[in-house]
Amino acid sequence: MGKIAALIVAGGRGERAGGGVAKQYRPLLGKPVLSWTVDAFRDADPVQVVIGADDSAAFEAAMSGRKILAPATGGPNRQESVRLGLEALAAHSPEFVLIHDAARPLASSALIARVKDALHSGAEAVVPVLPVTDALKRREENGLPAVSRDGLFRAQTPQGFRFDAILAAHRAQRGREAVDDIAIAENAGMKITTVAGDERNLKITAAEDFALAESLMGGQFRTGMGLDAHRFGPGDHVWLCGLKIPHSAGLIGHSDADAGLHALTDAILGAIGSGDIGQHFPPTDERWRGASSDKFLKHASDLVTKAGGSVVHCDVTLICEAPKVSPHREAMRKRIAEILNLDVSRVSVKATTTEGMGFTGRREGIAAQAVATIRLPA
Ligand code: MG
């Protein structure tokens, strides 16, 4: 079977969804809409995203660690953006392409498989469709006459095509407006095949669609906990929750001894039943000498992504008499949110002393506890 590429169109601004940031970069269950959409196409090869000219930074943040092509920059409208994306994909010579709207993050693997199967069975152009079930009316001067539903249906994405044919059709129809890529294919004389769409494949349009999408996503939630401690030694700074903090002592450890990130890494590993940090990064391994602990946390978070899930919340408690944590708390939350690709409102950093009791009370070292909540697909 030939290669099936995915083209995800994320060039729009989505002003109707409100909030200032383009809707495809706003968080849905803790990660950007576009991250969910791209993850839904993780079996496609390759994945090309078309973005708005001003969205490079938001795109890089949303895609952290994902193996996809460099983004193509979109045009003045969706149709031109799709064409530019297809041109960028041409160098990779896919046999088929699935063209999908970034604003549909809930495309299921079953829906994508239906479109792929139709292409593999010889279809040239495939569109998922749904029946119209609500009564339809037209507003007229004298009332609201009914409109027949006969022969009407709703069209969704991903729409699938033979790559060379849809690229040629887009090139030939530049400047001629079409509602979607199926219309372009039809204008070009391609035969259209329909497959069953999916009611859950919501297109996020209005602000209230975010709450609806989250409720449709459901899934199972799991919680893990982690605990870590490091001993003070000579030095003039400590690493805590990804920040370098000046101090009268350092922390001893094989890596950078960031007890906060180590506890959080273990909490995430715990939530997916994937052992502990020592198993993934043995302290006997020279590769991890002096390593910056954001690598460990990113690794744990990538394992969750690979399982089709996401970290949705975390809570870290640092236990020490000194250094003072409160001046750094907000920067720590921000740094963890960055590493986990999570909205900062879903990251908590707290601190406590043990009132002079025990090893932290005697200022022999720093301890940290963490709890992580993750969502896995149902
Ligand atoms: Mg440690």
Side-chain angles (χ1 to χ4, degrees):
M1 283 299 162
K3 272 205 300 189
I4 300 192
L7 175 58
I8 294 168
V9 193
R13 298 302 308 167
E15 301 298 349
R16 271 177 296 175
V21 183
K23 65 185 173 187
Q24 55 272 34
Y25 299 108
R26 288 182 53 196
L28 184 65
L29 280 181
K31 72 179 187 185
V33 169
L34 183 60
S35 308
W36 291 105
T37 310
V38 166
D39 289 346
F41 288 86
R42 60 187 161 274
D43 294 334
D45 174 30
V47 176
Q48 175 73 63
V49 183
V50 185
I51 65 170
D54 303 330
D55 293 340
S56 294
F59 174 79
E60 292 307 328
M63 290 301 107
S64 67
R66 290 173 175 80
K67 290 183 177 54
I68 62 170
L69 299 176
T73 304
N77 53 48
R78 183 187 185 279
Q79 189 171 331
E80 190 56 7
S81 292
V82 170
R83 187 191 65 80
L84 290 165
L86 291 171
E87 300 284 4
L89 270 173
H92 303 272
S93 313
E95 185 172 2
F96 304 105
V97 61
L98 305 175
I99 303 179
H100 187 65
D101 293 326
R104 293 187 190 269
L106 275 62
S108 65
S109 48
L111 171 67
I112 294 168
R114 286 197 288 278
V115 178
K116 282 183 177 178
D117 288 349
L119 290 171
H120 283 147
S121 307
E124 290 188 292
V126 184
V127 57
V129 298
L130 287 171
V132 177
T133 50
D134 293 327
L136 296 180
K137 311 278 187 189
R138 176 183 290 119
R139 183 173 300 284
E140 287 184 2
E141 213 171 306
N142 300 320
L144 293 170
V147 175
S148 167
R149 292 189 302 237
D150 275 2
L152 293 185
F153 54 81
R154 294 175 288 150
Q156 296 188 321
T157 70
Q159 299 178 350
F161 305 91
R162 295 200 63 83
F163 181 79
D164 292 343
I166 193 67
L167 174 58
H170 263 279
R171 281 175 177 168
Q173 292 175 53
R174 282 188 74 181
R176 177 173 162 191
E177 241 175 77
V179 294
D180 61 1
D181 304 295
I182 280 294
I184 298 266
E186 193 161 38
N187 291 341
M190 293 166 72
K191 187 175 177 309
I192 311 298
T193 301
T194 60
V195 296
D198 183 346
E199 289 289 356
R200 285 165 303 179
N201 183 23
L202 174 74
K203 184 172 185 178
I204 293 181
T205 308
E208 56 268 29
D209 293 341
F210 280 83
L212 178 57
E214 289 193 348
S215 67
L216 286 169
M217 289 165 88
Q220 40 173 325
F221 290 84
R222 295 191 184 166
T223 302
M225 66 163 291
L227 173 67
D228 194 37
H230 283 271
R231 182 185 289 275
F232 283 127
D236 61 3
H237 67 272
V238 296
W239 282 92
L240 279 179
C241 292
L243 290 194
K244 185 179 178 178
I245 294 170
H247 191 49
S248 52
L251 286 171
I252 303 170
H254 184 65
S255 67
D256 64 8
D258 187 330
L261 291 193
H262 293 181
L264 181 53
T265 301
D266 260 357
I268 293 171
L269 292 173
I272 52 171
S274 190
D276 58 36
I277 193 170
Q279 221 174 309
H280 292 264
F281 302 97
T284 48
D285 191 329
E286 276 309 305
R287 272 181 303 168
W288 313 124
R289 181 175 295 282
S292 140
S293 296
D294 53 352
K295 276 192 195 70
F296 307 155
L297 182 56
K298 186 71 176 51
H299 173 77
S301 153
D302 286 348
L303 290 177
V304 177
T305 305
K306 271 190 198 130
S310 61
V311 178
V312 295
H313 179 262
C314 64
D315 183 15
V316 180
T317 303
L318 299 170
I319 308 164
C320 57
E321 303 289 329
K324 270 212 162 319
V325 169
S326 57
H328 307 288
R329 183 202 313 269
E330 287 313 308
M332 288 173 171
R333 291 177 70 202
K334 207 168 151 246
R335 180 67 191 122
I336 291 171
E338 237 169 52
I339 300 166
L340 293 177
N341 189 18
L342 197 59
D343 191 74
V344 73
S345 66
R346 292 170 182 262
V347 177
S348 159
V349 172
K350 313 198 301 297
T352 186
T353 70
T354 48
E355 306 225 315
M357 298 177 287
F359 73 87
T360 56
R362 292 188 299 269
R363 298 171 185 252
E364 291 167 10
I366 290 181
Q369 292 184 336
V371 174
T373 304
I374 66 164
R375 174 193 167 274
L376 291 172

